[in-house]
Amino acid sequence: MNALDHTHAASARSWLASAQEAGGDFPIQNLPLAVLRRRASQDMMHGATAIGDQALNLAQLAATGLLQGPAQAACKACAGSALNKFMALGPEAWRALRHGLFALLAEDAPASVQAQLRECLIPLGEAEYGLPAQIGDYTDFYTSIHHAVNVGRLIFPDKPLTDNFQWLPIAYHGRASSLRVGQEGFGFHRPMGQAMPAGAQAPVYSACARLDFELEMGFFIGPGNALGEPIALAQAERHMLGMVLLNDWSARDHQFWEMAPLGPFLGKNFCTTISPWIVTMDALAPYRVPFDRPASDPQPLPYLDDAGHRACGGVDVRLEALLDTPAHRSQRQTPSRLAATSFRHQYWTPAQMLAQHTVGGCNMEPGDLIGTGTVSGPTAQEAGALVELSLGGRQPVTLANTGEQRAFLHDGDTVILRGWCEKPGHARIGFGECRGTVLPARG
C-alpha cells in the first residue's frame, strides 16, 4: 500500500491561491492527471495536472527543465496525447513526478519558478479533455453486494445473489471503443435494440425505454504482466496508477432480455463515460480503510487474502449522483441528488479485482481500464442506479428541486457523478465530475 509522506500534509499550501479554496477538488495534496488542451484551439492534446482552478501543462513544464532526473523523465512521458508511457513506468516514477510537482507548486517555491509555471497554466473552465490513455481493454466488475441484492431481488426474489458472488469478484469484458470522457457538453443517443415487453410473446425492436446510469469507479493499469504470469494480491497496487469516476450507462430493457445466458452486450456497449482526472493511488493513501468481511460470510480464498490487504485494502471515496433535467435548467434549479454513498462499501477491493482478473494468466497492458461495478450502500438512498432507486420502475423517484418523477432517464437528462475524500487531519481531495446527457434515439 502507498505510504504517507510530506505531500499528504494537511498544512501544505500552494502559491496558487485557488488551491486553498474550501471544498475544492484540487489542492496541492491531490495532483491528479489528465489529457487536455485549451477548448476550441488547434493545440495537441497533452498531459496535465490540476491545481486549484488551473491545469498545469506537463509538456510545457518538461520543456522548461525545472524538473530533474526521474521526475523530468516521468514528466516527458506525460507530454504526449496519451499517458500510456507514463503508466508503464511504475510507482517509483509516478512518485518522483508527484514529489517534483509538489515542490514546484508549494508556497515556498522561488518566485522565478512561480513565474515560469504561470506561463504553463490553463484555466480548468477553458479545458477540453481527451481520454487519458489509449485504452486497449476495458473490464467491468460487479462487486457491490448491496447492488447485487437489490437488482437480484427484481429478477429472482427468492435468491437474489448468485452462488459465486461471495467467493470471487465477477466481471465481464466491456467495449473499449465506446469509452468517452464525461465532460461538459458530452451527450450520447438513446440506444436501439431488442426488448421483451412484459406479457409479450415476441421481442420488439425499439429505442431503449428503461435507460439507466450506474455510479461506479474505475482504475487504470500501469505496468502490465506477461501472459501466464498472475499478479499476486500483495503486488496488485504496484500495477494501478489511480482511480476515476465511471458511469456504465445501461439499457435495462435490452440488457435483461439479452443477458441469458452470456451476460451484458448491447445493453452496455453503447457508451461508458469516465471523469477526466485520474486521482493517483499515492494521493488516496490517507483515505485507505480496512477490508472487512463479516465472520458469517465466506472468507476469501488465500489468493484473494492477506494481512496487509485486510488492514487497508479499501478506499473511502464519497460518491454522489445528481440529475439535471430540462426542467431544472429552465427553472434555474440546481441538480437534484439521486444517491450518495461510499466506495468503502464494495464487497471486493480493486486489488482483489486485479488479482482475480490475472489469476488465470490474463496479461494486462498499460492503459487498460477496470470498472468496479455499481457502487451501492446499505440504505435505500445509497443505491447507485435508477433500477434500484425506483424498484425496477415500480416506484418512480421524486426529484427534490423540481418535483418531477423518474423511473428511468428521459431525453435531455444530464447525470452528474461526483467523488471526493475527506478525513479529519487531512486535506479534502476530489475527482471533479463525470457528466453525460441523454440525446434522442437516432433509429
Side-chain angles (χ1 to χ4, degrees):
M1 303 298 173
N2 302 68
L4 298 181
D5 60 32
H6 66 284
T7 65
H8 302 102
S11 59
R13 295 171 61 86
S14 170
W15 50 259
L16 190 68
S18 62
Q20 281 74 248
E21 290 181 359
D25 281 343
F26 305 125
I28 196 171
Q29 292 85 354
N30 193 345
L31 302 177
L33 299 165
V35 165
L36 54 79
R37 66 184 174 191
R38 196 179 294 270
R39 190 184 304 120
S41 75
Q42 299 301 311
D43 298 343
M44 297 290 291
M45 288 282 183
H46 53 78
T49 192
I51 182 71
D53 61 0
Q54 303 288 314
L56 177 63
N57 183 330
L58 295 181
Q60 279 187 262
L61 174 59
T64 67
L66 289 171
L67 294 172
Q68 301 293 321
Q72 172 69 349
C75 190
K76 285 184 175 180
C78 294
S81 59
L83 300 179
N84 298 67
K85 290 182 180 179
F86 174 73
M87 292 174 174
L89 294 177
E92 287 73 24
W94 304 340
R95 192 162 300 119
L97 179 61
R98 176 179 171 83
H99 286 187
L101 293 173
F102 185 92
L104 296 179
L105 291 166
E107 61 182 347
D108 60 355
S112 59
V113 169
Q114 298 182 30
Q116 284 184 272
L117 289 188
R118 288 187 187 276
E119 297 299 315
C120 303
L121 296 177
I122 300 171
L124 292 180
E126 298 178 16
E128 172 189 0
Y129 297 94
L131 286 171
Q134 293 179 350
I135 302 171
D137 195 27
Y138 160 52
T139 303
D140 194 36
F141 276 82
Y142 187 62
T143 60
S144 166
I145 195 168
H146 304 293
H147 175 69
V149 168
N150 291 341
V151 175
R153 282 177 178 151
L154 300 175
I155 309 171
F156 306 108
D158 298 328
K159 193 176 185 294
L161 274 186
T162 56
D163 291 337
N164 59 355
F165 186 91
Q166 293 176 292
W167 288 102
L168 58 86
I170 302 168
Y172 74 96
H173 283 282
R175 181 73 178 169
S177 63
S178 54
L179 283 161
R180 295 292 184 271
V181 177
Q183 59 189 305
E184 185 77 37
F186 173 77
F188 66 93
H189 292 277
R190 182 179 295 270
M192 303 292 295
Q194 278 194 31
M196 179 68 83
Q201 299 300 308
V204 298
Y205 171 73
S206 62
C208 170
R210 296 162 72 86
L211 187 62
D212 203 354
F213 73 94
E214 289 189 337
L215 174 58
E216 298 194 26
M217 299 198 75
F219 57 93
F220 275 96
I221 299 300
N225 58 303
L227 182 67
E229 296 184 4
I231 295 174
L233 179 69
Q235 297 299 314
E237 291 199 14
R238 292 186 59 81
H239 296 263
M240 295 162 48
L241 171 62
M243 303 187 72
V244 294
L245 306 174
L246 187 150
N247 189 341
D248 199 30
W249 304 89
S250 301
R252 299 298 186 191
D253 42 355
H254 303 165
Q255 177 188 355
F256 288 175
W257 168 235
E258 73 186 4
M259 67 186 295
L262 290 182
F265 184 41
L266 297 185
K268 296 282 192 175
N269 74 356
F270 57 94
C271 186
T272 299
T273 47
I274 62 173
S275 53
W277 293 100
I278 302 172
V279 176
T280 65
M281 301 309 294
D282 261 339
L284 292 170
Y287 315 101
R288 305 306 296 264
V289 293
F291 165 72
D292 291 322
R293 183 57 57 83
S296 58
D297 286 6
Q299 299 304 300
L301 295 179
Y303 77 97
L304 293 174
D305 195 16
D306 69 37
H309 183 262
R310 292 249 179 184
C312 56
V315 193
D316 185 13
V317 182
R318 318 286 180 88
L319 298 166
E320 67 176 3
L322 303 102
L323 189 61
D324 187 28
T325 71
H328 284 84
R329 296 188 284 274
S330 65
Q331 298 173 23
R332 298 185 178 179
Q333 295 287 330
T334 57
S336 296
R337 177 187 272 185
L338 292 172
T341 188
S342 170
F343 187 71
R344 71 183 301 160
H345 297 307
Q346 291 300 93
Y347 200 75
W348 299 99
T349 69
Q352 289 171 320
M353 294 177 217
L354 184 54
Q356 177 65 28
H357 200 315
T358 64
V359 71
C362 176
N363 57 308
M364 310 298 292
E365 299 288 344
D368 284 352
L369 176 66
I370 294 181
T372 64
T374 304
V375 183
S376 295
T379 67
Q381 295 75 27
E382 293 179 86
L386 276 170
V387 70
E388 298 175 73
L389 293 165
S390 69
L391 302 182
R394 295 192 298 270
Q395 295 183 16
V397 176
T398 300
L399 305 181
N401 295 353
T402 62
E404 299 171 272
Q405 291 193 320
R406 289 291 188 274
F408 292 97
L409 297 173
H410 292 191
D411 291 350
D413 285 353
T414 298
V415 176
I416 306 164
L417 307 185
R418 293 175 180 159
W420 67 96
C421 301
E422 55 185 345
K423 177 182 178 181
H426 291 279
R428 178 195 187 278
I429 65 172
F431 287 75
E433 294 184 342
C434 180
R435 287 175 166 261
T437 299
V438 181
L439 306 176
R442 280 181 168 146

